[in-house]
Amino acid sequence: MGKEAELIVQGNNEELWQRCCGFIDLSLEDFMEIQERLLLEQLEMLKKCKLGRSVMRGAQPGSMAEFRSQVSLTTYADYEPFLLTKNERALPAKPLFWQHTSGRSGEYSFKWAPVTARQYDEIRSLLFGCLAFSCCKEKGEIGFRWRDSFLYALAPPPYTTGALIHNAPHEVFNFLPPIKAAENMSFEERVQLGFELAVTEGLDLFFAMSSILVAIGERFSQRKDAINIRPLLKRPRVLLRLLKGLIKSKLARRDILPRDIWNLKGLVSTGSDGAAFRERVKDMWGRYPLDVYAGTEGLIMATQTWDYQGLTFIPQVNFFEFIPEEESLRSKADPDYEPETLLMDEVRAGEKYELVITSFHGMPFIRYRLGDMVKITSLRNEKLGIDIPQMEFYGRVDDIIDVAGFTRLTEKVIWQAIENTKIPYREWTLRKELRDRPVLHLYLELKKNGHLTPDQVAGAVHEQLVELDPPYADLEEFIGLRPLEVTLLPQNAFHGYMAKQQAAGADLAHLKPPHINPSDSMIECLVVGVEEVPVSATAEHEPEAVESR
Amino acid sequence: MTVWAVIPLVSFLLFAVLAILALRQEDRRVNRVFARFLIASSIWSFTSFMLHYNPFPRYALLWNEILAAALVWTVVSYYHFVRAYNNKRGGLGVYIGYAAVFTVLALALNGYIVEYAYVVDGVLFHELGASGFVLGGISAFFLISATWNLIRRYRSSVDPSDRNRTMYLIFGSVIVIVSSYVTNLTPAISGLSTDHIGNLVNALIISYAITRYQLLNVRFVTRKILAYGILVACLGGIFFGLGIMAQRFVPAEPAYLRVIQGSAVVIFVALVARPLLRIIEDRIYRTFHWGTYQYRRALIDFRDRMSHVIKLDELANEMLDVMTKALHLSQAKLLFQDFGSGVYATKFSYPKTAGNELSDEVKFSADSPIVNWLYRKGEPLTLNSVDTMPEFKGLWELERDQLAASELGLLCPIKSQDRLIAIIALGKKKSDGIYSHEDLELVMSMANQASTIIENAQLYSQAVIRANTDGLTGLYNHRHFHERLDHEIARGSRFGTTFSLIMLDIDLFKAYNDIHGHLAGDEILRRIAICIETSIRSIDIAFRYGGEEFTIILPEARLEDAYKVAERIRKTIAAKTSSKAPPITASLGVANWPIDGVMKEEIISFADAALYRAKQTGRNRTCMSSDVIKPEAPLVSVELEARSRALSIIYALAATVDAKDHYTYGHSKKVSDYAVALAEAMSMSHEKIDIIRAAGLLHDIGKVGIPDSILNKKGTLNDEEWKLIKAHPKLGVEILRHVIDLVNCLPVILHHHERFDGAGYPSGLKGEKIPLEARILAAADAFDAITSPRPYREQLSSQEALDELKRCAGTQFDPKVIEIFSKIISPASEEKLETKRQ
């Protein structure tokens, strides 16, 4: 039995809170002290292992400053020889288990990453911490109890979320369905069985991706088949629960929702689109989901607290560095450019940064670019008195678009889909926009002879994406999300943009907007500002502009 | 108004005040819930007051009915408060409780709870019937549940402050339970409302517990209450006993006698009170602490007399010993900061058993989160918290493992003048493993007292070290050498042990100083000190005896053993000398006590003689005292052998210089002769004359590195060429520095182109700072140069040359040297000189 489980059994809530959630009481100075000390410990481990020597290219940094000046930023390619082959002897510490990414991630089918025992200890504590934040109304309150019913709609191991749950202390909660029993079930079966059990045994805690929370809620409310009362007569508690739900929904004159049946103590979600689904989840489940910023490489990096506002960084899992947005864009345009990084005590509120992590406790990642852009919403949480900078996930930096945690679309797949439609187009660019749901917004400039409406184009591209990317198809099938929208750009919109860039003295690499994730100003220029620039100035670039990529 | 009404009235007023205070601090949930409990209690007291005061007789029944519901409300809200205190939501129990309140109220108002109630002459007559048991049952259930929740928290908590605070609440709960049933079960005080008194006491305790973070130790408070309670009972007993006895045995009819009797009893009681209180407190303390009573008493006694302790080891050993026993600990340690590394490491430990070595390794780096925490907070840290508190997330795994292996339970900082000067590390408690609040207070008070003593002891010890230490090398100094030697002789005389003494002298150190300056010489002394320290045993003690001489006392070492150590030192010094730097060697002499004499002077003299012999026999060697008594003959032959070897080298090198420059052929020899003549005229020692002779022969050896075209150039030299010419003294030193026999000549060669006014080269030395030998050589060199043919100028006569030298005396040359030189360079003398030279 883990330490947290012991504390729950003892009812020692104060110590449990300190252990799992106490980091929110740290001052920024304390936060940085922890970061520096654990970094130095990690460096000692890295210097002694093959992976460390290889990735640090022989550098032997002895301080935080030396580390940042001597060691280059890395990507997964730097770790590929060690991690894809699961070469445990090359690692700084022996892994407890291995896990990989959910969804497609561009160049690698799976990004494998180890988890060490000590790191897992920290993560386990943090999982309890996130649950505590989700269940509480004020500091120090532990809202969950021993053997509370816990429904989890997460990917199976070795996907990260599944691996974490798989290794969680099973005895603490009544997992729906029991973890061992669920190992051989499909995702659908597991969620189905989990819900059946939740109806009979009750539901206290729920952990899932935001998109799944919405999908399940919608499916729940759309069940039109009448409930067969007869078998339920033998189970009065179930009957009572259903009756209560029915009465509530009838009184509100709407379809039955999960919140009518269950009064959840805690609701935790991960996934990149948490903000988009937030209100819908609240509407369906009766409470906001606690958003946790987590990933395969960095594990749990930040979490919301009980005010459900910005996410608080966690000091003991990773060392954080921040690449300012301009530096990030510059390095994207020039892969040889080594961008400057800032530390946690140097970031500014309202700014966007690309996140760089160095994992602690014998994990392998060193100055690793996660590819995530985060926004620092404030330097402290005034309401709750948290002195650690607050963040929100802003988007991906690289050419990948994550949709609802289900799929990761690459430039290649999208381009292929557009091509497959046979629609005559000149150029395109696409980005994810967050409204009440995630929207894939395709900005397309048709050739002169193209006479199509945006809906027709959207329909055709959508069909192709369904064909090319099965997880994309699941979006509609499973959560009813059809995220693609199309805006047809005026003729010569791209040429106009390029001419404007040329006139501003941009070098060749910056003349064209990127295909994936263009900035607001780029889109504004494409949609509105084309008339200002004479088209003839850039007409000769047309063929290369499209085909050179 | 009767006393029965006064008690609830006072309770009501106090509850109302407390409720207002609690409502002002409702930012915490526990405060809000506590405020509700106070409001319920005040309503309960108010209704009780109204019932007993009974201003409107016909409403007595109504007040009693409300009272019944208010009682349940109070108990339920107390249960609710305990839940909140334990960071738990109300839960089902609270819902049921509040439902019960409304049910009781409804039933009471409908006449199902109180059968009748009326007040006659201030005395309440009422009948609850069977429903009274229901009320009692409900109240008992919530009170016992609340108490049980508190006990569970107490048992699971490892934080001494939290346990102390919880103990207060348990204490309050018990008071409520007891007081609630006292009135009902004691007919004599029926109607006295002890339940209100109990509830009030509980509310005061809770207020104190939740508003004050650092509470007084509950055991201390309990002991005090108990002691004063017993004292009052005893004094009352004595008072009444004496009164009765006085009445029975000394009938005192007159009133004044009664007054005297009464006064005597009062005085007696007053006199007895103080000692009696002491006895009672002592007995209670003894009862509270059972087995550790004696040790605790010893610890407190030690704390009281700590201020008289000056020495650190005395303080540490006694403090750790007595703490370990008094607190029933497995171990105790005292950690001090190492001023070099900043690490806090164990300096004193108790108990000192063989199995204790591993845990003796307890140390904390200066940047350890634990050290930071102890410094910042200045209060004890229980090791259980390290695993829990976020401040310690930065601990390394290795540090955590070491901490776990150390079996420690508590760390207590010792601070002085805003510095963390030491850490008391205490092991786990042998009994329940958890330190009580009283233990923490005791340890803290010890730490506070120890801080001044440690600070003073450290200052004293630093002063002693400074007084006994040589500032340059960090070794002990000459004064301490004599103290230690006396100490060793005394020890040897007492226990019949032996010891040896090594004397070490750096070879040719003066020459090194002259060539490289005193700063470089100081650096060599430091390096030699390090070499000595790294080569000797841990029990040996090294000293700087003075100048370039060092001594080492080797306790319990025989002569042969000491010789081995001396050789190790010598080899280390030779090995540590870089090939690029000038070679540094040392000669050593070894003597033994008592073989070489029993007096201090005798052993020093023998060691010195052995050192002298090592010098005489060629340096860079070790001689034992036994070598000194050998016949002189071999010494002479060795010395002669050494000298002839040196001379052959010198002549070979001089020939090299002369071969290089035909114009200066024979110049070296002539300069040497002039210089030797000058030295002899100045009555210099033989050693100095030998040095001057050799230096004269070799003074221009650096010219072997200068191109012939420059040496033989007829016209004036340009800047670059002058630069090369001016480099020749340094070059000469570079060439010769590896020849150990010529090391003494090096300063003379280096500085023979210095000018008396400081305008010379290479170092620009001035006046007396130029070695005398170099000043002599400069005059001799100039004289021969002027009187010899050169490609770049005409040859002058001896007299013209002397005139030139005199002209430049005081600017280029030392006037005293020129004065003597002019005397010896008379034509007759020069002739004699020439003959001698040939």
PDB file of all heavy atoms in Angstrom, chain A residues 405-428:
ATOM      1  N   GLY A 405      -7.603  15.343 -28.654  1.00  0.00           N
ATOM      2  CA  GLY A 405      -6.857  14.228 -28.086  1.00  0.00           C
ATOM      3  C   GLY A 405      -7.037  12.940 -28.851  1.00  0.00           C
ATOM      4  O   GLY A 405      -6.475  11.913 -28.498  1.00  0.00           O
ATOM      5  N   PHE A 406      -7.819  12.997 -29.926  1.00  0.00           N
ATOM      6  CA  PHE A 406      -8.116  11.785 -30.701  1.00  0.00           C
ATOM      7  C   PHE A 406      -7.088  11.561 -31.797  1.00  0.00           C
ATOM      8  O   PHE A 406      -6.649  10.456 -32.027  1.00  0.00           O
ATOM      9  CB  PHE A 406      -9.498  11.892 -31.343  1.00  0.00           C
ATOM     10  CG  PHE A 406     -10.573  11.290 -30.503  1.00  0.00           C
ATOM     11  CD1 PHE A 406     -11.007  11.929 -29.362  1.00  0.00           C
ATOM     12  CD2 PHE A 406     -11.133  10.080 -30.850  1.00  0.00           C
ATOM     13  CE1 PHE A 406     -11.985  11.385 -28.576  1.00  0.00           C
ATOM     14  CE2 PHE A 406     -12.119   9.510 -30.058  1.00  0.00           C
ATOM     15  CZ  PHE A 406     -12.552  10.170 -28.920  1.00  0.00           C
ATOM     16  N   THR A 407      -6.780  12.642 -32.485  1.00  0.00           N
ATOM     17  CA  THR A 407      -5.910  12.475 -33.640  1.00  0.00           C
ATOM     18  C   THR A 407      -4.920  13.618 -33.730  1.00  0.00           C
ATOM     19  O   THR A 407      -5.165  14.712 -33.226  1.00  0.00           O
ATOM     20  CB  THR A 407      -6.729  12.392 -34.940  1.00  0.00           C
ATOM     21  OG1 THR A 407      -5.828  12.182 -36.026  1.00  0.00           O
ATOM     22  CG2 THR A 407      -7.523  13.663 -35.192  1.00  0.00           C
ATOM     23  N   ARG A 408      -3.800  13.342 -34.343  1.00  0.00           N
ATOM     24  CA  ARG A 408      -2.807  14.379 -34.592  1.00  0.00           C
ATOM     25  C   ARG A 408      -2.583  14.445 -36.096  1.00  0.00           C
ATOM     26  O   ARG A 408      -1.974  13.549 -36.685  1.00  0.00           O
ATOM     27  CB  ARG A 408      -1.501  14.048 -33.877  1.00  0.00           C
ATOM     28  CG  ARG A 408      -1.617  14.239 -32.403  1.00  0.00           C
ATOM     29  CD  ARG A 408      -0.312  13.909 -31.751  1.00  0.00           C
ATOM     30  NE  ARG A 408      -0.277  14.399 -30.380  1.00  0.00           N
ATOM     31  CZ  ARG A 408       0.804  14.380 -29.630  1.00  0.00           C
ATOM     32  NH1 ARG A 408       1.928  13.923 -30.117  1.00  0.00           N
ATOM     33  NH2 ARG A 408       0.767  14.836 -28.414  1.00  0.00           N
ATOM     34  N   LEU A 409      -3.105  15.494 -36.686  1.00  0.00           N
ATOM     35  CA  LEU A 409      -3.037  15.606 -38.140  1.00  0.00           C
ATOM     36  C   LEU A 409      -1.742  16.293 -38.548  1.00  0.00           C
ATOM     37  O   LEU A 409      -1.363  17.325 -37.978  1.00  0.00           O
ATOM     38  CB  LEU A 409      -4.216  16.415 -38.664  1.00  0.00           C
ATOM     39  CG  LEU A 409      -5.591  15.790 -38.451  1.00  0.00           C
ATOM     40  CD1 LEU A 409      -6.686  16.762 -38.862  1.00  0.00           C
ATOM     41  CD2 LEU A 409      -5.722  14.486 -39.223  1.00  0.00           C
ATOM     42  N   THR A 410      -1.083  15.717 -39.535  1.00  0.00           N
ATOM     43  CA  THR A 410       0.147  16.326 -40.034  1.00  0.00           C
ATOM     44  C   THR A 410      -0.159  17.081 -41.322  1.00  0.00           C
ATOM     45  O   THR A 410      -1.207  16.887 -41.953  1.00  0.00           O
ATOM     46  CB  THR A 410       1.206  15.257 -40.337  1.00  0.00           C
ATOM     47  OG1 THR A 410       0.660  14.398 -41.325  1.00  0.00           O
ATOM     48  CG2 THR A 410       1.559  14.464 -39.094  1.00  0.00           C
ATOM     49  N   GLU A 411       0.792  17.914 -41.703  1.00  0.00           N
ATOM     50  CA  GLU A 411       0.671  18.666 -42.944  1.00  0.00           C
ATOM     51  C   GLU A 411       0.483  17.713 -44.121  1.00  0.00           C
ATOM     52  O   GLU A 411      -0.341  17.938 -45.006  1.00  0.00           O
ATOM     53  CB  GLU A 411       1.946  19.515 -43.126  1.00  0.00           C
ATOM     54  CG  GLU A 411       1.915  20.378 -44.377  1.00  0.00           C
ATOM     55  CD  GLU A 411       3.251  21.078 -44.605  1.00  0.00           C
ATOM     56  OE1 GLU A 411       4.242  20.709 -43.942  1.00  0.00           O
ATOM     57  OE2 GLU A 411       3.305  21.968 -45.449  1.00  0.00           O
ATOM     58  N   LYS A 412       1.214  16.615 -44.032  1.00  0.00           N
ATOM     59  CA  LYS A 412       1.179  15.651 -45.135  1.00  0.00           C
ATOM     60  C   LYS A 412      -0.228  15.073 -45.333  1.00  0.00           C
ATOM     61  O   LYS A 412      -0.742  14.994 -46.452  1.00  0.00           O
ATOM     62  CB  LYS A 412       2.163  14.524 -44.812  1.00  0.00           C
ATOM     63  CG  LYS A 412       2.422  13.570 -45.920  1.00  0.00           C
ATOM     64  CD  LYS A 412       3.450  12.551 -45.451  1.00  0.00           C
ATOM     65  CE  LYS A 412       3.347  11.307 -46.317  1.00  0.00           C
ATOM     66  NZ  LYS A 412       4.097  10.198 -45.729  1.00  0.00           N
ATOM     67  N   VAL A 413      -0.852  14.708 -44.231  1.00  0.00           N
ATOM     68  CA  VAL A 413      -2.185  14.092 -44.321  1.00  0.00           C
ATOM     69  C   VAL A 413      -3.208  15.098 -44.865  1.00  0.00           C
ATOM     70  O   VAL A 413      -4.034  14.775 -45.738  1.00  0.00           O
ATOM     71  CB  VAL A 413      -2.619  13.571 -42.932  1.00  0.00           C
ATOM     72  CG1 VAL A 413      -4.079  13.182 -42.916  1.00  0.00           C
ATOM     73  CG2 VAL A 413      -1.767  12.386 -42.530  1.00  0.00           C
ATOM     74  N   ILE A 414      -3.120  16.317 -44.355  1.00  0.00           N
ATOM     75  CA  ILE A 414      -4.092  17.328 -44.794  1.00  0.00           C
ATOM     76  C   ILE A 414      -3.905  17.640 -46.281  1.00  0.00           C
ATOM     77  O   ILE A 414      -4.860  17.717 -47.060  1.00  0.00           O
ATOM     78  CB  ILE A 414      -3.945  18.608 -43.937  1.00  0.00           C
ATOM     79  CG1 ILE A 414      -4.263  18.277 -42.466  1.00  0.00           C
ATOM     80  CG2 ILE A 414      -4.862  19.714 -44.438  1.00  0.00           C
ATOM     81  CD1 ILE A 414      -3.753  19.293 -41.496  1.00  0.00           C
ATOM     82  N   TRP A 415      -2.652  17.785 -46.643  1.00  0.00           N
ATOM     83  CA  TRP A 415      -2.347  18.101 -48.042  1.00  0.00           C
ATOM     84  C   TRP A 415      -2.856  16.979 -48.959  1.00  0.00           C
ATOM     85  O   TRP A 415      -3.458  17.198 -49.996  1.00  0.00           O
ATOM     86  CB  TRP A 415      -0.832  18.263 -48.193  1.00  0.00           C
ATOM     87  CG  TRP A 415      -0.445  19.170 -49.324  1.00  0.00           C
ATOM     88  CD1 TRP A 415      -1.215  19.501 -50.395  1.00  0.00           C
ATOM     89  CD2 TRP A 415       0.789  19.845 -49.492  1.00  0.00           C
ATOM     90  NE1 TRP A 415      -0.550  20.342 -51.225  1.00  0.00           N
ATOM     91  CE2 TRP A 415       0.690  20.578 -50.684  1.00  0.00           C
ATOM     92  CE3 TRP A 415       1.971  19.902 -48.762  1.00  0.00           C
ATOM     93  CZ2 TRP A 415       1.738  21.356 -51.176  1.00  0.00           C
ATOM     94  CZ3 TRP A 415       3.001  20.666 -49.254  1.00  0.00           C
ATOM     95  CH2 TRP A 415       2.896  21.401 -50.431  1.00  0.00           C
ATOM     96  N   GLN A 416      -2.607  15.764 -48.496  1.00  0.00           N
ATOM     97  CA  GLN A 416      -3.048  14.607 -49.280  1.00  0.00           C
ATOM     98  C   GLN A 416      -4.574  14.619 -49.443  1.00  0.00           C
ATOM     99  O   GLN A 416      -5.105  14.359 -50.525  1.00  0.00           O
ATOM    100  CB  GLN A 416      -2.625  13.323 -48.571  1.00  0.00           C
ATOM    101  CG  GLN A 416      -2.867  12.046 -49.342  1.00  0.00           C
ATOM    102  CD  GLN A 416      -1.986  11.965 -50.581  1.00  0.00           C
ATOM    103  OE1 GLN A 416      -0.773  12.113 -50.499  1.00  0.00           O
ATOM    104  NE2 GLN A 416      -2.615  11.788 -51.735  1.00  0.00           N
ATOM    105  N   ALA A 417      -5.254  14.960 -48.367  1.00  0.00           N
ATOM    106  CA  ALA A 417      -6.720  14.997 -48.410  1.00  0.00           C
ATOM    107  C   ALA A 417      -7.202  16.048 -49.402  1.00  0.00           C
ATOM    108  O   ALA A 417      -8.136  15.800 -50.190  1.00  0.00           O
ATOM    109  CB  ALA A 417      -7.267  15.302 -47.008  1.00  0.00           C
ATOM    110  N   ILE A 418      -6.564  17.220 -49.377  1.00  0.00           N
ATOM    111  CA  ILE A 418      -6.971  18.284 -50.305  1.00  0.00           C
ATOM    112  C   ILE A 418      -6.708  17.841 -51.748  1.00  0.00           C
ATOM    113  O   ILE A 418      -7.546  18.012 -52.641  1.00  0.00           O
ATOM    114  CB  ILE A 418      -6.224  19.596 -49.987  1.00  0.00           C
ATOM    115  CG1 ILE A 418      -6.571  20.080 -48.571  1.00  0.00           C
ATOM    116  CG2 ILE A 418      -6.569  20.680 -50.998  1.00  0.00           C
ATOM    117  CD1 ILE A 418      -5.689  21.209 -48.057  1.00  0.00           C
ATOM    118  N   GLU A 419      -5.534  17.262 -51.921  1.00  0.00           N
ATOM    119  CA  GLU A 419      -5.179  16.786 -53.267  1.00  0.00           C
ATOM    120  C   GLU A 419      -6.183  15.760 -53.771  1.00  0.00           C
ATOM    121  O   GLU A 419      -6.626  15.789 -54.920  1.00  0.00           O
ATOM    122  CB  GLU A 419      -3.769  16.165 -53.233  1.00  0.00           C
ATOM    123  CG  GLU A 419      -2.643  17.170 -53.210  1.00  0.00           C
ATOM    124  CD  GLU A 419      -2.496  17.900 -54.528  1.00  0.00           C
ATOM    125  OE1 GLU A 419      -2.796  17.295 -55.566  1.00  0.00           O
ATOM    126  OE2 GLU A 419      -2.127  19.090 -54.509  1.00  0.00           O
ATOM    127  N   ASN A 420      -6.545  14.844 -52.889  1.00  0.00           N
ATOM    128  CA  ASN A 420      -7.443  13.750 -53.280  1.00  0.00           C
ATOM    129  C   ASN A 420      -8.834  14.239 -53.704  1.00  0.00           C
ATOM    130  O   ASN A 420      -9.555  13.532 -54.391  1.00  0.00           O
ATOM    131  CB  ASN A 420      -7.598  12.747 -52.137  1.00  0.00           C
ATOM    132  CG  ASN A 420      -6.340  11.933 -51.939  1.00  0.00           C
ATOM    133  OD1 ASN A 420      -5.364  12.112 -52.664  1.00  0.00           O
ATOM    134  ND2 ASN A 420      -6.351  11.041 -50.955  1.00  0.00           N
ATOM    135  N   THR A 421      -9.184  15.442 -53.266  1.00  0.00           N
ATOM    136  CA  THR A 421     -10.511  15.950 -53.639  1.00  0.00           C
ATOM    137  C   THR A 421     -10.569  16.375 -55.114  1.00  0.00           C
ATOM    138  O   THR A 421     -11.643  16.553 -55.671  1.00  0.00           O
ATOM    139  CB  THR A 421     -10.884  17.186 -52.796  1.00  0.00           C
ATOM    140  OG1 THR A 421      -9.890  18.190 -53.019  1.00  0.00           O
ATOM    141  CG2 THR A 421     -10.991  16.852 -51.322  1.00  0.00           C
ATOM    142  N   LYS A 422      -9.381  16.547 -55.706  1.00  0.00           N
ATOM    143  CA  LYS A 422      -9.262  16.991 -57.117  1.00  0.00           C
ATOM    144  C   LYS A 422      -9.785  18.419 -57.300  1.00  0.00           C
ATOM    145  O   LYS A 422     -10.078  18.836 -58.418  1.00  0.00           O
ATOM    146  CB  LYS A 422     -10.016  16.064 -58.093  1.00  0.00           C
ATOM    147  CG  LYS A 422      -9.744  14.583 -57.886  1.00  0.00           C
ATOM    148  CD  LYS A 422      -8.413  14.204 -58.480  1.00  0.00           C
ATOM    149  CE  LYS A 422      -8.213  12.678 -58.395  1.00  0.00           C
ATOM    150  NZ  LYS A 422      -6.840  12.291 -58.439  1.00  0.00           N
ATOM    151  N   ILE A 423      -9.962  19.116 -56.238  1.00  0.00           N
ATOM    152  CA  ILE A 423     -10.419  20.510 -56.354  1.00  0.00           C
ATOM    153  C   ILE A 423      -9.243  21.357 -56.828  1.00  0.00           C
ATOM    154  O   ILE A 423      -8.154  21.260 -56.270  1.00  0.00           O
ATOM    155  CB  ILE A 423     -10.923  21.020 -54.989  1.00  0.00           C
ATOM    156  CG1 ILE A 423     -12.177  20.248 -54.587  1.00  0.00           C
ATOM    157  CG2 ILE A 423     -11.205  22.516 -55.009  1.00  0.00           C
ATOM    158  CD1 ILE A 423     -12.629  20.490 -53.157  1.00  0.00           C
ATOM    159  N   PRO A 424      -9.441  22.175 -57.875  1.00  0.00           N
ATOM    160  CA  PRO A 424      -8.326  23.010 -58.347  1.00  0.00           C
ATOM    161  C   PRO A 424      -8.056  24.147 -57.359  1.00  0.00           C
ATOM    162  O   PRO A 424      -8.909  24.995 -57.124  1.00  0.00           O
ATOM    163  CB  PRO A 424      -8.824  23.562 -59.679  1.00  0.00           C
ATOM    164  CG  PRO A 424     -10.301  23.491 -59.603  1.00  0.00           C
ATOM    165  CD  PRO A 424     -10.667  22.374 -58.681  1.00  0.00           C
ATOM    166  N   TYR A 425      -6.925  24.108 -56.712  1.00  0.00           N
ATOM    167  CA  TYR A 425      -6.616  25.140 -55.718  1.00  0.00           C
ATOM    168  C   TYR A 425      -5.232  25.706 -55.993  1.00  0.00           C
ATOM    169  O   TYR A 425      -4.411  25.096 -56.648  1.00  0.00           O
ATOM    170  CB  TYR A 425      -6.675  24.560 -54.300  1.00  0.00           C
ATOM    171  CG  TYR A 425      -5.550  23.615 -53.993  1.00  0.00           C
ATOM    172  CD1 TYR A 425      -4.407  24.051 -53.319  1.00  0.00           C
ATOM    173  CD2 TYR A 425      -5.595  22.287 -54.403  1.00  0.00           C
ATOM    174  CE1 TYR A 425      -3.359  23.203 -53.059  1.00  0.00           C
ATOM    175  CE2 TYR A 425      -4.549  21.438 -54.148  1.00  0.00           C
ATOM    176  CZ  TYR A 425      -3.436  21.888 -53.477  1.00  0.00           C
ATOM    177  OH  TYR A 425      -2.392  21.042 -53.224  1.00  0.00           O
ATOM    178  N   ARG A 426      -5.032  26.877 -55.430  1.00  0.00           N
ATOM    179  CA  ARG A 426      -3.732  27.513 -55.618  1.00  0.00           C
ATOM    180  C   ARG A 426      -2.837  27.292 -54.381  1.00  0.00           C
ATOM    181  O   ARG A 426      -1.707  26.930 -54.485  1.00  0.00           O
ATOM    182  CB  ARG A 426      -3.947  29.009 -55.816  1.00  0.00           C
ATOM    183  CG  ARG A 426      -3.054  29.569 -56.870  1.00  0.00           C
ATOM    184  CD  ARG A 426      -3.367  30.990 -57.267  1.00  0.00           C
ATOM    185  NE  ARG A 426      -3.584  31.098 -58.678  1.00  0.00           N
ATOM    186  CZ  ARG A 426      -4.501  31.838 -59.236  1.00  0.00           C
ATOM    187  NH1 ARG A 426      -5.331  32.536 -58.488  1.00  0.00           N
ATOM    188  NH2 ARG A 426      -4.626  31.904 -60.543  1.00  0.00           N
ATOM    189  N   GLU A 427      -3.410  27.554 -53.251  1.00  0.00           N
ATOM    190  CA  GLU A 427      -2.627  27.412 -52.023  1.00  0.00           C
ATOM    191  C   GLU A 427      -3.589  27.255 -50.850  1.00  0.00           C
ATOM    192  O   GLU A 427      -4.765  27.605 -50.950  1.00  0.00           O
ATOM    193  CB  GLU A 427      -1.734  28.661 -51.850  1.00  0.00           C
ATOM    194  CG  GLU A 427      -0.760  28.613 -50.705  1.00  0.00           C
ATOM    195  CD  GLU A 427       0.143  27.385 -50.699  1.00  0.00           C
ATOM    196  OE1 GLU A 427      -0.388  26.275 -50.458  1.00  0.00           O
ATOM    197  OE2 GLU A 427       1.355  27.535 -50.940  1.00  0.00           O
ATOM    198  N   TRP A 428      -3.082  26.785 -49.755  1.00  0.00           N
ATOM    199  CA  TRP A 428      -3.939  26.585 -48.587  1.00  0.00           C
ATOM    200  C   TRP A 428      -3.139  26.797 -47.294  1.00  0.00           C
ATOM    201  O   TRP A 428      -1.917  26.728 -47.290  1.00  0.00           O
ATOM    202  CB  TRP A 428      -4.553  25.192 -48.567  1.00  0.00           C
ATOM    203  CG  TRP A 428      -3.525  24.089 -48.470  1.00  0.00           C
ATOM    204  CD1 TRP A 428      -2.821  23.533 -49.490  1.00  0.00           C
ATOM    205  CD2 TRP A 428      -3.071  23.438 -47.272  1.00  0.00           C
ATOM    206  NE1 TRP A 428      -1.956  22.580 -49.039  1.00  0.00           N
ATOM    207  CE2 TRP A 428      -2.095  22.491 -47.654  1.00  0.00           C
ATOM    208  CE3 TRP A 428      -3.401  23.547 -45.938  1.00  0.00           C
ATOM    209  CZ2 TRP A 428      -1.440  21.675 -46.758  1.00  0.00           C
ATOM    210  CZ3 TRP A 428      -2.745  22.715 -45.033  1.00  0.00           C
ATOM    211  CH2 TRP A 428      -1.779  21.797 -45.446  1.00  0.00           C
TER     212      TRP A 428
END
